[in-house]
Amino acid sequence: MIAAEVSSLIEYAIAAALLYFYAKSKDKAALYFGLGVLTYALAHTLGGTVLSWIRQEYNYEMAKFVKDVNYKVFESLRNVLVASFMALSLMVISQLVKDLLKSKVAEYVKVYAAVGALAFLALRLYCVWVAEDVKHPFFALAQWVFLIPGSLVAAAAGFQIYYKLKVLGGLLLGLSFLVYAAILPLYAAWKGTPMLNTWYVLRIISDVLLLAGVLYL
């Protein structure tokens, strides 16, 4: 899909821009968000290349490709990359809450980043290696345990930074993660339909808002 390829290229460009900004300014938010977006882009690339090829070899018959060891290894790696994206993002949010809002909530965000990532991986890896079923309820549950609430935590922190300090970057970060939280559950519903192109456009918007948010902090 052209929209998927374009969105991935934009993610790599945004990751490069954030890391370049870090190289110039030594802004840690740019570093960790840049690394986070890069891991997310790599996860999407992995899903669209290696994992897609493996599925094609089995004519997309899930009962067969989920038992392939190569599939299990690369699907596991993809989920590690996705978990890393959210964990890195929450670590930045924790630091921003600590430095800008002077709130003790920052420590809870940091703990959630670690515990949530482990819970996410435990659920996803169970589906890949034990249940051998990526349509197992635990697979979808994983994003409700970490990705969606993590995004909402990040969005809330961004809005708080904007509300209390009138920092535009906070508003942009909040909008970025709010969009991301909203589209996560829509992927499964829109997959295989024309609406999936809209999903990728919304993902691009989320990524662009993230870049703008870091630049305006």
Side-chain angles (χ1 to χ4, degrees), residues 138-162:
F138 282 2
F139 201 86
L141 176 62
Q143 69 178 10
W144 289 97
V145 167
F146 188 45
L147 300 183
I148 293 173
S151 297
L152 292 175
V153 167
F159 292 140
Q160 276 288 95
I161 290 171
Y162 175 71

Side-chain angles (χ1 to χ4, degrees), residues 1 4-5 8-9 12 39-58 60 65 70-71 74-75 77-78 81 187 200 203:
M1 294 178 66
E5 294 170 355
S8 289
L9 289 174
Y12 281 114
T39 60
Y40 202 55
L42 288 170
H44 289 139
T45 299
L46 194 60
T49 55
V50 179
L51 290 170
S52 182
W53 294 336
I54 294 173
R55 294 189 193 101
Q56 285 177 18
E57 286 183 3
Y58 292 97
Y60 297 97
F65 71 68
N70 290 323
Y71 174 83
F74 285 108
E75 178 64 20
L77 176 58
R78 187 184 73 82
L81 290 169
Y187 182 82
Y200 283 112
R203 195 178 91 190

